[in-house]
C-alpha cells in the first residue's frame, strides 16, 4: 500500500519494467527467425508474348521471323534515336526485340513457348531436352540450329501449315545421315527465303515416317502447304546435294505455281456446293476424293490431277473433295461405296453426263490408291481417255436417236460437214524419280538393300 519504493505491476500482477530500463536494446532473434530482406531484382527484358512484340501470328515461317527481326532491329537501334528521351525508349524497345528473338529465333525455344508459354522456358535448356529427358539413345542432329527446324509428331502440322518446306527424314544410327548434316545446313542457308528446311528424327517419330512412306535414309521431301502436294528429292549423296537441291527446289516450286494457276479445278469444302455443282449438273465430272494433308499418296498425285484438268478442257469438269473435312464426311460416305471404302485414298470417280442420283453413289470408280502395281501418273492418261470415250458415246447416242426420229427408214451416224478441231496438246504427266538399289552392310554385318 506504500508508494515510491514498491515495484510497479500490471493488472495481472506482472512486474513492469522501469522507464530507464526500457531504453535497453532488445536482444535480436536468432538468424533462423530473422526476416530475409527483399532483394532488388535486376531489370529484365523477358517478353510475355514475343509474337506480339514482333507483330506477327504464330503460324509464320522462320524465314519471316528473321526478316521481321532484321527490320525491327534496324528501325529501333539506339544509335538511330535522336535525343536523350528517344534514345532511352529505343534502348528498352531494342532489348525487348532481342529478347523476343531469343525465343522465336530458336526453333526449340519457340516450340516450348508455343506449347507451354514463357513459364516453361526455364528448367530445361531446350524443348528437345524436355521431350527427350526420359528417352535414352535418342540423338538430334540439328538441336538448337536456327536454320534447320526440328519437326516432330507434336509440331509438324503447326509448323508446316504455311509456306514451302524441304523436309529431311533421318535415323540417328544412319552414317550417311550424320555425314549429311553439314550440307543440309548449307542448303538451308541457300534456301532462305525460298523454302523452310526441317528435319524429322524418323526413329523418334515413326508415325511421320509411315505417313511419308520413307523406305531409306536420308530421305528429302519438298512439301507445299499451299497446294497440299509433295515430291521426293533424288538423293545421290552429300557431295552434290548443296549444288543440286537449290535449283531443283526452285524448278519444282515454279512448276507447281504454273500448274495450279493455269487450271480450273473445283475444291469443294461444303456439301451444298458439291450437290449443286456435281449432282445437280448435267456435265461430266472427274472427282478426286482425298484424305487431307496426311494422305501422302494424295499429295503426290495432286499436281498430275491438275494437269489432267488441262487435258479435259471441254470434255469434263474436275473437282477435289477433301474427306478429312468434317463438313464433307457425309458426302464421302454417300459417294464412296462401303465395299470400296476399305481400300486406300485417293479415289477417282467419273460422274457421267446427264441427270445423277442424289442418294447413294452417283459416280463410277476409276482408280484408287489400293490398286497395286499402278501409279497415278500412269493412270491419268487412261482416265482422260475414258472421259473422252464416254463423251463420244453420249454424243453418238444422242445423234443417232435424233437421226432415227427424223428418218425412221434409214439409220446412220451423222457426219459433220467440217472436220473436228485438232485435240489440245496433251500434258506431260510427271512420274516419280526412281531411286536405284545399292547394297550396304547393316549394323550386324549383314548385306541389306537400300534405295538411293
Amino acid at each position: 500500500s506504500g508508494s515510491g519504493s514498491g515495484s510497479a505491476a500490471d493488472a495481472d500482477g506482472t512486474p513492469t519494467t522501469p522507464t530507464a530500463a526500457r531504453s535497453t536494446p532488445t536482444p535480436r532473434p536468432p538468424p533462423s527467425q530473422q526476416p530475409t530482406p527483399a532483394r532488388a531484382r535486376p531489370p529484365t527484358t523477358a517478353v510475355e508474348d514475343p509474337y506480339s512484340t514482333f507483330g506477327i501470328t504464330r503460324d509464320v515461317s522462320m524465314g519471316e521471323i528473321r526478316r521481321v527481326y532484321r527490320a525491327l532491329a534496324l528501325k529501333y537501334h539506339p544509335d538511330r534515336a535522336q535525343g536523350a528521351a528517344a534514345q532511352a525508349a529505343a534502348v528498352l524497345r531494342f532489348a525487348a526485340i532481342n529478347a523476343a528473338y531469343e525465343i522465336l529465333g530458336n526453333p526449340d525455344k519457340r516450340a516450348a513457348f508455343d506449347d507451354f508459354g514463357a513459364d516453361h522456358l526455364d528448367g530445361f535448356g531446350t524443348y528437345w531436352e524436355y521431350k527427350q529427358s526420359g528417352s535414352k539413345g535418342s540423338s538430334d542432329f540439328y538441336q538448337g540450329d536456327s536454320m534447320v527446324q526440328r519437326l516432330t509428331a507434336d509440331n509438324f502440322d503447326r509448323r508446316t501449315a504455311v509456306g514451302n518446306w524441304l523436309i529431311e527424314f533421318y535415323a540417328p544410327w544412319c552414317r550417311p545421315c550424320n555425314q549429311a548434316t553439314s550440307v543440309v545446313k548449307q542448303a538451308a542457308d541457300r534456301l532462305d527465303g525460298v523454302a523452310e528446311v526441317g528435319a524429322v528424327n524418323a526413329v523418334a517419330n515413326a508415325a511421320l515416317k509411315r505417313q511419308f512412306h520413307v523406305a531409306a535414309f536420308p530421305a528429302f521431301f519438298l512439301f507445299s502447304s499451299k497446294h497440299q502436294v509433295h515430291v521426293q528429292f533424288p538423293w545421290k549423296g552429300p557431295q552434290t546435294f548443296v549444288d543440286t537441291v537449290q535449283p531443283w527446289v526452285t524448278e519444282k516450286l515454279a512448276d507447281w505455281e504454273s500448274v495450279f494457276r493455269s487450271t480450273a479445278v473445283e475444291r469443294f469444302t461444303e456439301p451444298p456446293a458439291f450437290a449443286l455443282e456435281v449432282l445437280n449438273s448435267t456435265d461430266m465430272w472427274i472427282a478426286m476424293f482425298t484424305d487431307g494433308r496426311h494422305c501422302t499418296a494424295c499429295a503426290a498425285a495432286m499436281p498430275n490431277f491438275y494437269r489432267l484438268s488441262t487435258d479435259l478442257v471441254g470434255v469434263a469438269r474436275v473437282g477435289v473433295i477433301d474427306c478429312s473435312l468434317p463438313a464433307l464426311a457425309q458426302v464421302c460416305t454417300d459417294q464412296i461405296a462401303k465395299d470400296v471404302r476399305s481400300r486406300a485414298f485417293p479415289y477417282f470417280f467419273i460422274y457421267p453426263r446427264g441427270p445423277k442420283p442424289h442418294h447413294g453413289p452417283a459416280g463410277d470408280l476409276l482408280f484408287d490408291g489400293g490398286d497395286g502395281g499402278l501409279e497415278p501418273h500412269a493412270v491419268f492418261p487412261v482416265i482422260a481417255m475414258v472421259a473422252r470415250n464416254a463423251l463420244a458415246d453420249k454424243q453418238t447416242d444422242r445423234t443417232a436417236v435424233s437421226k432415227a426420229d427424223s428418218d425412221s427408214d434409214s439409220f446412220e451416224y451423222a457426219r459433220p460437214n467440217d472436220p473436228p478441231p485438232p485435240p489440245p496438246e496433251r500434258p506431260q504427266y510427271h512420274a516419280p524419280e526412281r531411286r536405284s538399289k545399292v547394297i550396304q552392310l547393316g549394323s550386324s554385318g549383314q548385306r541389306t538393300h537400300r534405295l538411293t
Side-chain angles (χ1 to χ4, degrees), residues 107-108 111 127-128 131-132 140-145 148-152 155 159 170 197-201 204-205:
D108 294 332
Y127 176 67
W128 179 87
K131 294 291 289 184
Q132 299 295 331
D140 190 335
F141 291 168
Y142 303 98
Q143 178 184 351
D145 193 277
V148 181
Q149 303 180 51
R150 271 191 72 253
L151 298 177
T152 67
N155 69 9
R159 282 284 171 267
Y170 68 89
V197 177
V200 176
N201 183 335
N205 300 276

Side-chain angles (χ1 to χ4, degrees), residues 334-380:
D334 293 340
Q335 298 302 315
I336 304 176
K338 186 179 296 186
D339 59 331
V340 175
R341 216 174 299 149
S342 60
R343 306 185 73 171
F345 286 95
Y347 298 96
F348 297 92
F349 285 85
I350 183 171
Y351 292 81
R353 280 199 170 192
K356 303 171 182 63
H358 283 244
H359 302 285
D364 297 317
L365 180 66
L366 295 174
F367 170 77
D368 66 78
D371 288 329
L374 292 176
E375 295 184 355
H377 76 275
V379 172
F380 286 130

Side-chain angles (χ1 to χ4, degrees), residues 44-130:
T44 177
T45 57
V47 178
E48 290 298 326
D49 187 357
Y51 293 101
S52 297
T53 302
F54 276 22
I56 56 178
T57 58
R58 289 175 177 254
D59 59 357
V60 300
S61 65
M62 289 299 295
E64 179 67 10
I65 289 175
R66 289 190 289 269
R67 187 192 67 78
V68 172
Y69 168 70
R70 288 192 290 264
L72 291 176
L74 181 63
K75 179 179 180 180
Y76 292 101
H77 196 282
D79 292 346
R80 299 172 64 91
Q82 301 294 328
Q87 193 167 27
V91 168
L92 295 177
R93 177 68 171 168
F94 190 71
I97 292 170
N98 282 296
Y101 188 68
E102 184 179 351
I103 297 173
L104 298 184
N106 185 308
D108 294 332
K109 289 186 176 181
R110 182 187 179 190
F113 181 86
D114 288 347
D115 287 344
F116 307 112
D119 295 338
H120 291 76
L121 291 176
D122 298 327
F124 290 97
T126 65
Y127 176 67
W128 179 87
E129 292 175 4
Y130 170 79

Side-chain angles (χ1 to χ4, degrees), residues 372-419:
L374 292 176
E375 295 184 355
H377 76 275
V379 172
F380 286 130
V382 178
I383 293 178
M385 182 181 65
V386 170
R388 291 180 182 280
N389 289 340
L391 177 64
D393 290 343
K394 280 287 185 182
Q395 291 176 336
T396 299
D397 292 343
R398 189 163 52 247
T399 304
V401 169
S402 176
K403 182 66 176 177
D405 291 340
S406 62
D407 186 3
S408 58
D409 295 333
S410 61
F411 175 80
E412 63 179 358
Y413 295 117
R415 295 184 176 86
N417 296 326
D418 298 326

